Amino acid sequence: MVSMDMFHELFESLNALQNAPTYHLLFEAGLIAWLMWLLFRPSYNPHDRERLTRREEQELIDEWTPEPLVPATPQDSRALHPRIVSGKVGKYIQIGERNCLNLGTNNYLGMIENPEIEKSALECLSHYGVGSCGPRGFYGTTEVHLDLEDKLAEYMKCEEAVVYSYGFSTIASAIPAYAKRSDVIFVDEMVNFAIQKGLDASRSQINYFKHNDMEDLERLLMEQADLDRKNPKKAKRTRRFLVAEGIYMNTGLMAPLPKLLELREKYKLRFFLDEAISFGTIGKTGHGLTEHFNIDPSEIDMISGSLENSIGSIGGFCVGSHFIIEHQRLSGLGYCFSASAPPLLMAAAITALDIMQRDPSIFQTLRDNSTFIHSQLSSQLPSDLRVHGHPESVIKHIRLANPSGDKVADEQLLNEIVDKCEEAGLALTTAAYLSDREVNLPEPSIRVTVNALLSKNEIEFAVKTLKNCAESVFKIQL
Amino acid sequence: MALDKTEYSMSAAEKMSNGAVGRNKNGVRVDRLDGHVHQNGSVKKEKRRPFIESFEKIPLLTAATTFIGFHLILLMGYITSIIFTPKVAREKNRKGYVPLYDRFESFYSRYVYRRLRDCWNIPICSCPGSEVTLKDRVTHDCGWTFEYTGTRSTALNLGSYNYLGFAQAEGSCSEDSAVKIKELGCATASPRIEFGTQKIHQELEALTAKFVGMEDAITFGMGFATNALNLPSIVSKGCLVVSDEKNHASLILGLRLSGATIDVFKHNNMESLRQVLHSAVIKGQPRSHRPWKKILIVVEGVYSMEGSIVRLPEILELKRQYKAYLYVDEAHSIGAIGRNGRGVVDYFGVDPKEVDILMGTYTKSFGSAGGYIAGSKAFIDHMRVNSHANCYATSMSSSCAQQIISSMKIIMGMDGTNEGKKRINQLARNSRYFRRRLNQMGIITIGNNDSPVVPMMVYMHSKIASVVRRLKTNNIAVVGVGFPATPLMEGRIRFCLSAAHTKEQLDNALVHVEEAADFLGLRYSRKRRSKEPVHYSDSESEVE
């Protein structure tokens, strides 16, 4: 019945439409059109008024003055006037006219001047030329690279090794190969700059613990564990890493490996250890921290090292299980996207490794020298200076006992001592840092590096010279 | 995804109005990018070869089969991983830890990449010259492990970046290097700023500055690190970096470390660059709308995966218009292009000083290792003080430095011969001849006609491996590139030409490439092919 009614009404109104006068129809059509316009007109957009005209845009472009590309550089900066060394940078170095005993470079085992290494580098050069002309993936892997990787893995008692062409890029590439944005990294606050860059590149959350302070680390770990309990779903995806150095470049101290490993196990962390300094210097036969503490290397997920210090070549490496290391061959940026290292430098590294294996007594000499110089420095230095570092460490930092708080002034003071030493025939250097880039800028220091070639007399000479120069500088100061 | 990109290059070519567009068919652009007014007002009116860059569109059917093929490989991988116990290296002693790797990532490397693994990382046992000795290896378990057979085979080397043929074990360069090793040792065990600066480093920097035409230069021991460790000293938070989408990983890493905001423009697309710059200057920083501190355009000279050459004159124009700074990475262009081998500025006849920062590497054209940054004295002074690499990383090996000095002197003609010029011309001839011949076969190559990098498009994942393997059995070593290094559907084979290649060697390679193209169906191009034979000497006349 309802439908009948509706049909009827429709018929009626159509009828009325037919009978209506034309002006009426036109008027209604107009009304409908107006309604439509109101409904569908473009909505009012307040941003329209903000849209700039072409002229206004051009004005903005004209008005904008960018900062200069770089700020002006003070011309007296030490970096602009580096010491020029002639000849090999060996046990003694020639700076200008002066021949100085060298306690400033990282030539711990004296490999730089080793004739055997030189011979193998030259042999390799005559076979391969200098450059490798390609990344490892694209015909840049030579037999020499493979040999070195095998030898390093064997030496470090690990399944696999991967070699990089630059020491700095080794750990800086290795960390971001594993740690990603959603991960957490626990790291010592005094780690070296290369590690800091690796952490930056990973974009993970970084938790710094106080230098070598295991309680502080545990406190942070417990905080994280609390967070994990609150959000177990997220915790299931968050990888946790622990990063430390064997011997810290910036302090000369040794990492408390057993305690770190204990925490690693307790909190299920993946542990990366950078042995740039400790590899080839610490341990009875130079195998690094694991040997020193008598720990199985497989307890550490990845160990990285440098070929630029004790080995006396250029490059770096990471060792660990096949499961871990293989990943870097596809994901280590500095490995995949860089040309491989020149074969002759790899050949030099192989020979250096051979020498280290053949004659482990060199490590005893090095250790003796390190402890001797440490005791000498501790007892002989004027009271204004203090030596920092582990007695067995090849790196010692000599800092002001009472820093003034002005790092620039303190560094200048130390540089004066360094310059005086150079005049007296001893090459030393203050540790160079980019002060505005370091996460935790170390106090200025003179970085003394020890090598195995030094005789007792030479060490005594060095300490005496340093003492005399320091005293004379401090006297002027007073 | 890949389709969009190729379409873009078509439409972008149509849209572009800068430069006189001569011909525009099938994605090919012919422009005349002229050297422009120099600072002193004189106009360099050289007759320039046309700037021909081509990005031919992928045929629809190929796109479809590539897409299906890739997913078929994935599917097969999943099935394999279920049915057969994988011989995967497992983690020991790490129970209850969060898995170290993404699931897809490890799946991809185990079940997709592993099947083609034999195509990469092939060890060599000789200098990577025009020919290279490969160490033979076999796999008995589908790529899980390899075994060396103990034999070696010699192959024509179309894979190494040996543009000017300085990868030589004998000759004056390596002899000079040997002398320096005896004199200065292999390394210094110290950064430049401490005791790592020897006279040879200063000599190298002065020569490099002279070669690229800048006031000063600073050098580093690794090319990758030159970008990654120096960009953070140039830009910082509050700066905008406008970066080409195809820029190298080292540039991207360096920019990421710098903390600057990064905006990407489409590959070599000037309209896209203009839009990004325009809106950046007008809108300022996001949210706060403060003006940017500075804007840096980062591009490469020759793109190593695309074979394209940067449109430098147009970029310089935009740079002036929007007051931006310009950083050109010449890793693949220094030595490799330009009348005098001095990179893109030389190629376009532009004053180098118009570019703010010229970066380059020594790995490719000089047969050594390392990298440099060149610019004004004030800029380089800033780098010496603030560069990460200068302060913390070991200085360059004397052997590498000497190799560069010797080869650079040859390129510059300072050795009193025209050896350098000969090599530059030979490379230019080889590049053009090889690309032309490939095009005539109906193979799609992308990039610029003058670029020594010649990417041959094969699209399909499996074809990358087939071509590499097939050519390897014919004693030709080439590089295949696929996902994830390129977009999913843009698998390619990359030929890198060298001045050390002779016409006979190239002809031999072309015969085998043609066979492979027939066997695998690589003649994708739908451009009209000229029937006229390509003469080697044609390219010769163009060089002069």
Side-chain angles (χ1 to χ4, degrees):
Chain A
M1 280 313 273
V2 179
S3 62
M4 270 306 282
D5 274 357
M6 263 180 67
F7 189 73
H8 185 74
E9 262 176 45
L10 198 72
F11 181 75
E12 286 280 284
S13 46
L14 276 177
N15 234 357
L17 215 64
Q18 254 181 0
N19 297 335
T22 326
Y23 74 91
H24 193 89
L25 282 179
L26 281 175
F27 178 71
E28 281 195 3
L31 277 177
I32 289 167
W34 185 60
L35 198 73
M36 288 294 151
W37 180 78
L38 278 176
L39 279 176
F40 294 108
R41 70 176 176 158
S43 62
Y44 171 69
N45 184 355
H47 290 295
D48 272 357
R49 290 211 170 163
E50 285 177 20
R51 190 163 288 161
L52 300 171
T53 62
R54 195 163 275 240
R55 219 178 101 204
E56 285 168 321
E57 285 184 348
Q58 191 53 46
E59 270 171 20
L60 278 173
I61 294 169
D62 291 341
E63 274 167 26
W64 181 59
T65 13
E67 284 181 6
L69 180 59
V70 289
T73 311
Q75 286 299 306
D76 58 348
S77 169
R78 272 178 97 85
L80 294 183
H81 312 283
R83 288 160 282 215
I84 316 290
V85 181
S86 28
K88 289 177 188 163
V89 190
K91 180 179 169 189
Y92 281 88
I93 51 176
Q94 186 81 25
I95 307 171
E97 294 298 299
R98 243 176 250 113
N99 196 27
C100 302
L101 179 66
N102 176 10
L103 264 70
T105 63
N106 302 317
N107 180 24
Y108 312 133
L109 299 177
M111 298 292 186
I112 297 280
E113 285 174 299
N114 191 303
E116 205 181 321
I117 294 178
E118 185 179 304
K119 198 172 144 238
S120 69
L122 289 172
E123 257 167 37
C124 187
L125 171 68
S126 67
H127 183 71
Y128 282 102
V130 176
S132 62
C133 287
R136 287 291 296 268
F138 303 162
Y139 305 100
T141 303
T142 66
E143 268 187 317
V144 194
H145 292 94
L146 297 175
D147 268 4
L148 178 62
E149 285 179 351
D150 288 347
K151 290 224 156 89
L152 278 168
E154 189 202 321
Y155 186 81
M156 294 298 283
K157 302 190 181 72
C158 289
E159 283 175 17
E160 193 165 334
V162 60
V163 167
Y164 285 76
S165 56
Y166 213 35
F168 192 108
S169 291
T170 308
I171 187 73
S173 296
I175 293 175
Y178 305 98
K180 306 288 176 203
R181 201 189 275 278
S182 58
D183 301 337
V184 183
I185 308 180
F186 298 91
V187 56
D188 192 290
E189 62 177 7
M190 294 310 277
V191 288
N192 66 40
F193 197 68
I195 297 182
Q196 292 170 30
K197 289 298 116 184
L199 300 173
D200 284 355
S202 74
R203 295 189 278 193
S204 308
Q205 183 198 325
I206 314 291
N207 293 336
Y208 285 101
F209 58 90
K210 288 199 191 110
H211 186 40
N212 267 350
D213 185 342
M214 291 302 105
E215 278 167 22
D216 194 42
L217 170 61
E218 185 144 27
R219 180 184 62 80
L220 288 172
L221 288 168
M222 284 192 309
E223 273 175 22
Q224 179 68 34
D226 278 347
L227 281 178
D228 289 350
R229 264 193 293 279
K230 276 180 204 147
N231 194 351
K233 215 171 169 187
K234 194 181 165 204
K236 253 189 201 164
R237 279 176 287 122
T238 309
R239 284 171 286 241
R240 274 143 296 198
F241 295 91
L242 176 62
V243 179
E245 270 181 90
I247 295 275
Y248 286 86
M249 184 73 178
N250 293 354
T251 64
L253 292 175
M254 191 185 284
L257 192 59
K259 183 71 188 165
L260 282 167
L261 286 174
E262 194 190 308
L263 292 175
R264 191 226 84 202
E265 210 168 342
K266 188 169 169 196
Y267 292 93
K268 296 201 165 43
L269 308 168
R270 296 188 187 269
F271 183 27
F272 297 162
L273 182 68
D274 185 15
E275 297 224 60
I277 316 282
S278 49
F279 167 75
T281 65
I282 296 291
K284 200 160 167 253
T285 54
H287 287 66
L289 229 57
T290 46
E291 191 187 20
H292 181 84
F293 288 108
N294 197 17
I295 282 167
D296 182 9
S298 69
E299 288 291 302
I300 300 167
D301 294 86
M302 185 189 76
I303 298 175
S304 67
S306 172
L307 301 174
E308 294 166 1
N309 301 335
S310 34
I311 295 283
S313 178
I314 292 177
F317 64 88
C318 294
V319 290
S321 67
H322 173 75
F323 177 81
I324 301 237
I325 298 301
E326 183 66 15
H327 182 67
Q328 287 183 43
R329 297 192 196 274
L330 283 177
S331 303
L333 288 182
Y335 180 90
C336 301
F337 292 101
S338 156
S340 63
L344 72 97
L345 292 172
M346 299 296 101
I350 291 176
T351 313
L353 261 183
D354 286 346
I355 295 171
M356 282 160 67
Q357 270 169 312
R358 207 188 315 140
D359 179 20
S361 70
I362 189 171
F363 301 109
Q364 188 58 45
T365 321
L366 182 63
R367 193 160 36 251
D368 291 346
N369 282 352
S370 302
T371 42
F372 182 61
I373 207 167
H374 195 88
S375 66
Q376 286 281 305
L377 286 171
S378 315
S379 59
Q380 305 268 326
L381 280 186
S383 60
D384 299 305
L385 292 177
R386 192 167 293 162
V387 60
H388 293 255
H390 191 278
E392 285 188 27
S393 157
V394 285
I395 282 189
K396 318 278 177 202
H397 284 271
I398 295 172
R399 303 210 157 103
L400 293 176
N402 306 303
S404 68
D406 179 359
K407 285 185 176 166
V408 180
D410 286 356
E411 193 177 352
Q412 202 166 352
L413 189 67
L414 293 173
N415 269 325
E416 272 173 51
I417 300 175
V418 164
D419 289 344
K420 274 242 153 59
C421 288
E422 196 179 302
E423 281 166 30
L426 174 67
L428 288 176
T429 176
T430 48
Y433 303 108
L434 296 177
S435 50
D436 53 340
R437 303 272 169 176
E438 290 273 351
V439 171
N440 205 332
L441 182 65
E443 285 293 326
S445 65
I446 300 176
R447 191 174 57 220
V448 176
T449 53
V450 188
N451 65 63
L453 303 179
L454 294 171
S455 69
K456 218 168 171 187
N457 285 342
E458 283 163 333
I459 292 177
E460 275 164 359
F461 160 77
V463 174
K464 212 173 90 193
T465 313
L466 180 58
K467 177 184 169 227
N468 293 342
C469 296
E471 274 169 359
S472 71
V473 167
F474 285 124
K475 216 171 268 168
I476 297 168
Q477 280 273 307
L478 289 173
Chain B
M1 180 181 72
L3 247 173
D4 291 350
K5 203 202 133 310
T6 38
E7 261 169 355
Y8 123 69
S9 29
M10 274 286 285
S11 55
E14 283 155 12
K15 258 192 275 170
M16 288 280 299
S17 53
N18 287 358
V21 177
R23 184 158 57 97
N24 189 351
K25 204 191 244 175
N26 276 338
V28 181
R29 283 199 58 198
V30 188
D31 292 17
R32 240 161 250 277
L33 298 177
D34 285 313
H36 56 272
V37 187
H38 280 228
Q39 274 164 339
N40 56 13
S42 74
V43 182
K44 216 173 185 179
K45 274 279 178 218
E46 272 177 26
K47 212 176 155 226
R48 213 142 254 301
R49 272 195 327 282
F51 183 86
I52 305 176
E53 210 152 87
S54 151
F55 287 94
E56 197 177 336
K57 207 169 149 182
I58 176 172
L60 191 64
L61 187 65
T62 319
T65 46
T66 307
F67 189 80
I68 295 168
F70 184 77
H71 286 87
L72 214 61
I73 295 174
L74 288 186
L75 184 71
M76 290 303 288
Y78 276 116
I79 294 172
T80 330
S81 66
I82 293 165
I83 298 177
F84 304 101
T85 2
K87 287 205 271 175
V88 181
R90 283 175 201 284
E91 239 182 336
K92 292 164 207 139
N93 205 8
R94 293 288 183 273
K95 231 182 176 171
Y97 282 57
V98 179
L100 189 55
Y101 306 125
D102 282 351
R103 262 175 63 197
F104 181 75
E105 201 181 7
S106 47
F107 166 78
Y108 189 83
S109 74
R110 281 170 194 166
Y111 293 100
V112 181
Y113 168 70
R114 189 245 317 153
R115 299 161 73 119
L116 326 172
R117 246 181 80 189
D118 57 310
C119 300
W120 290 277
N121 297 306
I122 303 168
I124 62 172
C125 1
S126 75
C127 176
S130 66
E131 286 191 335
V132 63
T133 311
L134 306 177
K135 191 174 161 100
D136 295 331
R137 53 179 191 176
V138 287
T139 173
H140 299 298
D141 48 9
C142 301
W144 289 106
T145 56
F146 290 97
E147 210 174 274
Y148 295 107
T149 58
T151 56
R152 295 165 174 208
S153 48
T154 306
L156 174 66
N157 185 2
L158 287 167
S160 297
Y161 309 128
N162 175 27
Y163 297 130
L164 291 180
F166 281 108
Q168 290 169 306
E170 63 284 311
S172 63
C173 297
S174 60
E175 279 162 24
D176 293 349
S177 299
V179 171
K180 284 294 161 185
I181 290 181
K182 286 179 200 153
E183 187 191 328
L184 301 173
C186 288
T188 59
S190 190
R192 285 291 301 279
I193 206 168
E194 292 176 0
F195 290 106
T197 304
Q198 296 169 307
K199 278 208 189 82
I200 194 165
H201 296 115
Q202 295 188 312
E203 184 188 346
L204 174 63
E205 285 173 356
L207 188 69
T208 302
K210 190 174 163 196
F211 182 66
V212 299
M214 286 291 201
E215 275 174 24
D216 202 355
I218 178 170
T219 58
F220 308 94
M222 182 201 202
F224 178 90
T226 307
N227 279 332
L229 301 182
N230 288 309
L231 280 165
S233 313
I234 302 170
V235 282
S236 58
K237 214 164 176 263
C239 300
L240 177 73
V241 177
V242 187
S243 158
D244 191 291
E245 64 176 348
K246 298 290 184 190
N247 271 348
H248 190 252
S250 57
L251 290 166
I252 295 165
L253 176 63
L255 295 176
R256 193 199 287 179
L257 289 177
S258 75
T261 310
I262 304 166
D263 219 334
V264 174
F265 68 96
K266 287 177 179 167
H267 177 55
N268 229 356
N269 183 333
M270 293 305 111
E271 183 51 32
S272 170
L273 172 62
R274 197 193 63 76
Q275 279 169 9
V276 171
L277 287 171
H278 192 80
S279 78
V281 176
I282 287 167
K283 290 189 182 145
Q285 299 188 31
R287 295 183 59 236
S288 73
H289 295 290
R290 284 203 191 97
W292 294 103
K293 285 188 195 162
K294 57 192 172 198
I295 298 179
L296 181 71
I297 306 171
V298 176
V299 292
E300 288 185 42
V302 167
Y303 289 84
S304 65
M305 289 292 171
E306 314 299 310
S308 43
I309 297 177
V310 66
R311 300 175 162 273
L312 189 64
E314 292 165 57
I315 289 188
L316 285 172
E317 192 51 50
L318 288 173
K319 163 188 141 60
R320 267 191 295 271
Q321 206 177 331
Y322 293 100
K323 294 178 251 184
Y325 299 105
L326 179 59
Y327 183 105
V328 182
D329 175 343
E330 293 224 68
H332 287 266
S333 54
I334 191 71
I337 57 170
R339 212 165 272 256
N340 304 301
R342 300 191 186 183
V344 274
V345 285
D346 184 19
Y347 179 78
F348 289 109
V350 168
D351 180 3
K353 296 204 169 73
E354 303 233 339
V355 181
D356 300 281
I357 308 160
L358 281 174
M359 175 270 168
T361 65
Y362 297 124
T363 318
K364 284 102 190 178
S365 301
F366 305 96
S368 182
Y372 65 84
I373 286 186
S376 67
K377 169 125 193 341
F379 173 71
I380 298 301
D381 280 352
H382 172 83
M383 295 313 293
R384 282 189 207 285
V385 176
N386 291 291
S387 157
H388 299 176
N390 203 46
C391 183
Y392 295 100
T394 309
S395 57
M396 188 190 279
S397 166
S398 60
S399 55
C400 296
Q402 186 57 49
Q403 164 80 18
I404 303 158
I405 292 173
S406 300
S407 55
M408 200 178 269
K409 280 184 175 165
I410 293 176
I411 300 171
M412 292 166 89
M414 283 165 76
D415 62 334
T417 67
N418 63 348
E419 173 69 23
K421 190 87 191 154
K422 260 201 233 156
R423 288 185 189 229
I424 292 166
N425 291 346
Q426 176 82 1
L427 174 64
R429 257 197 304 266
N430 285 349
S431 308
R432 239 163 285 140
Y433 174 70
F434 196 77
R435 188 183 279 267
R436 232 182 243 194
R437 286 283 309 269
L438 285 182
N439 289 342
Q440 198 181 36
M441 288 174 200
I443 287 167
I444 297 184
T445 62
I446 57 170
N448 195 292
N449 274 18
D450 291 333
S451 137
V453 180
V454 183
M456 165 170 103
M457 303 307 283
V458 299
Y459 304 110
M460 269 173 241
H461 214 70
S462 42
K463 284 191 185 179
I464 300 172
S466 314
V467 175
V468 173
R469 285 175 191 150
R470 204 185 153 88
L471 290 180
K472 191 165 163 264
T473 54
N474 294 322
N475 291 327
I476 297 162
V478 295
V479 167
V481 199
F483 181 78
T486 66
L488 186 57
M489 303 225 267
E490 293 182 27
R492 63 196 66 172
I493 300 294
R494 191 181 60 179
F495 301 106
C496 284
L497 294 155
S498 162
H501 294 139
T502 60
K503 178 178 182 286
E504 289 66 39
Q505 284 176 322
L506 296 183
D507 282 339
N508 171 41
L510 285 161
V511 168
H512 292 300
V513 171
E514 187 157 24
E515 276 172 21
D518 281 332
F519 185 74
L520 297 165
L522 302 178
R523 301 186 196 248
Y524 289 119
S525 178
R526 286 160 305 173
K527 282 189 225 166
R528 227 184 43 197
R529 302 175 213 162
S530 90
K531 288 277 185 303
E532 276 176 39
V534 176
H535 293 297
Y536 192 59
S537 49
D538 288 349
S539 321
E540 198 165 358
S541 60
E542 280 181 11
V543 171
E544 286 315 315

